[in-house]
Amino acid sequence: MMPMTPSEAKNIVVLGVQWGDEGKGKIIDVLSEEVDVLVRYQGGNNAGHTVIAKGEEFVFHLIPSGLLRPGRVGLLGNGVVIDPAVLIEEMQLLEARGINTVDAVKISDQAHVIFPYHKRLDLAREASGDRRIGTTGRGIGPCYMDKVARMGIRIGDLIQPEALAEGLKQNLKEKNRVLETSYGEKPINFDELFAEYSEYAKVLAPHVVNGSLLLREAMDANKKILFEGAQGTMLDIDFGTYPYVTSSNATAGGACIGSGVPPTAIDCVIGVLKAYTTRVGEGPFPTEFSEGMMEEIRTRGNEFGATTGRPRRCGWFDAVIAKHSVWLNGCNSVAVTKLDVLDGLESVDICVGYRLGNETITHFPSDLKTLNACQPIYETMPGWQGATSDASCLEELPPEAQTYLKRLEQLIGIPVSLISTGSAREQSFKTACW
Ligand code: IMP
């Protein structure tokens, strides 16, 4: 029998059901109060999870954001791609602010390592203008390409000097050829690269573990585990708006593949969604605002990337996307964030379907050509005038905001279990179905 609520469940996945930046960091922070082990299972430092705790802001790129709470263990699973320099810097910054990473951070020996050639190839390809995706330029795609091409260097290799040297020698032959001939760039020097990464290896070695085994033992010991998704469902390499996606499986299935636990171990999935929609980078976005509204919501919601600082594109809530994601991920409930950003609007639109020629569809098309031909169909709801940010329960929200949330629940078919109305830890409350 599958437990339905986050408080009953043992192994919970929290993930974004839009295009990322849904405010997962904050929800994870709230949840991590009850959790022992936190796991990142895909993506890399393309992610930026912001948590505001006791008035201080923390931005996490690789380390699970739940580690803000003392005594927790945070695992970077095999599905994550790791830039060692970024990870070490993040650990040092957290240590300097009193957060223990020495004993808390664990890294799967099967996670892949990002090297400078990955970043250079990512940036060079984007700059060439061919098939521009609007990536974060962190080398994420090229690193996953090497993983799938079976030429990646894993954390377990990084900490073994012979394996690192051999892997780098082989890879540099090909990478330098591409950098020089395709992009007219300088080659990368083996000795310098080997020396730099050998230093990183010394720092990271004490953190390296068999990730799947760590989780198995945690489950045997009846620990509560939280799997933190990065990016969002619509950026999933298979089910997102391909090719305008990231290079990993950001959907719930990715939690198993990217950490080494069986699907039957997951007993609760919480989808996180904004009360409206945003995306960064290129690609389709059916409910995108036009100029005036774009600026207004971007400013109110401070919609600038936590990793790259890029302005996010903003639009109305798209129930077609949300419903698609809720099904794909098997979400039990959703957490709605940034409701306060819509405060004071005269009316609020929700996209309830797409017009495709003479047809109305309510499923998300699986190909881009069809999606590009779709026009959103909106339902207009009355806005609310009071502030939502001081509410501590559903009943304290303005009646129109309650109606808006009820309508979202109806459209996506599952309940809202948590509502966030501001960036502070305290500005959120659980509903009866938590
Ligand atoms: P990449 O992950 O850097 O390869 O970028 C691929 C696409 O995913 C681009 O459109 C990025 O803007 C987007 N993306 C990657 N990570 C995030 C994230 O954490 N939040 C939102 N968008 C992201």
Side-chain angles (χ1 to χ4, degrees), residues 19-21 24 46-49 122 133-141 230-231 235 244-247 279-282 307 310:
W19 276 284
D21 307 316
K24 296 178 286 292
N46 47 350
H49 295 162
D122 192 359
I133 303 291
T135 71
T136 59
R138 303 295 199 260
I140 307 295
Q231 291 82 48
L235 288 171
Y244 301 100
V245 291
T246 192
S247 299
R279 90 169 286 176
V280 203
E282 312 296 318
T307 297
R310 291 183 292 174

Side-chain angles (χ1 to χ4, degrees), residues 236-252:
D236 182 276
I237 182 76
D238 288 287
F239 299 105
T241 44
Y242 189 91
Y244 301 100
V245 291
T246 192
S247 299
S248 60
N249 284 111
T251 36

Side-chain angles (χ1 to χ4, degrees), residues 17-18 233-234 273 317-331 334 351-354 361-364 407-414:
V17 298
Q18 293 160 323
T233 302
M234 301 314 294
L273 49 83
F317 184 81
D318 187 336
V320 177
I321 280 170
K323 201 171 166 191
H324 168 73
S325 301
V326 159
W327 188 84
L328 265 176
N329 294 306
C331 296
V334 290
C351 169
V352 293
Y354 296 152
I361 59 167
T362 52
H363 67 269
F364 190 72
R407 185 66 183 130
L408 297 197
E409 282 183 333
Q410 263 173 7
L411 287 165
I412 63 177
I414 55 167

Side-chain angles (χ1 to χ4, degrees), residues 31-45:
L31 248 174
S32 58
E33 207 177 349
E34 307 159 11
V35 162
D36 306 294
V37 182
L38 298 118
V39 187
R40 269 284 305 269
Y41 57 84
Q42 42 76 229
N45 61 313

Side-chain angles (χ1 to χ4, degrees), residues 275-425:
Y276 50 100
T277 314
T278 63
R279 90 169 286 176
V280 203
E282 312 296 318
F285 183 174
T287 62
E288 187 165 13
F289 291 133
S290 48
E291 271 318 295
M293 194 64 182
M294 176 80 83
E295 267 317 300
E296 174 155 7
I297 296 296
R298 183 179 287 151
T299 309
R300 282 168 173 238
N302 191 25
E303 294 295 356
F304 297 89
T307 297
T308 58
R310 291 183 292 174
R312 296 179 185 139
R313 299 158 63 192
C314 306
W316 291 121
F317 184 81
D318 187 336
V320 177
I321 280 170
K323 201 171 166 191
H324 168 73
S325 301
V326 159
W327 188 84
L328 265 176
N329 294 306
C331 296
N332 302 75
S333 66
V334 290
V336 178
T337 63
K338 294 195 142 183
L339 185 65
D340 53 302
V341 173
L342 302 182
D343 289 359
L345 295 180
E346 216 162 275
S347 61
V348 187
D349 284 357
I350 302 178
C351 169
V352 293
Y354 296 152
R355 184 152 343 272
L356 180 61
N358 295 327
E359 258 186 276
T360 297
I361 59 167
T362 52
H363 67 269
F364 190 72
S366 55
D367 75 293
L368 218 60
K369 195 160 168 268
T370 311
L371 180 63
N372 284 333
C374 286
Q375 293 300 324
I377 300 170
Y378 289 115
E379 194 173 283
T380 300
M381 318 257 317
W384 50 94
Q385 300 315 308
T388 52
S389 48
D390 298 329
S392 55
C393 63
L394 211 52
E395 294 69 33
E396 284 177 18
L397 289 174
E400 298 85 354
Q402 293 183 39
T403 312
Y404 181 68
L405 292 171
K406 286 240 155 53
R407 185 66 183 130
L408 297 197
E409 282 183 333
Q410 263 173 7
L411 287 165
I412 63 177
I414 55 167
V416 173
S417 54
L418 192 140
I419 295 157
S420 165
T421 58
S423 50
R425 223 177 219 177

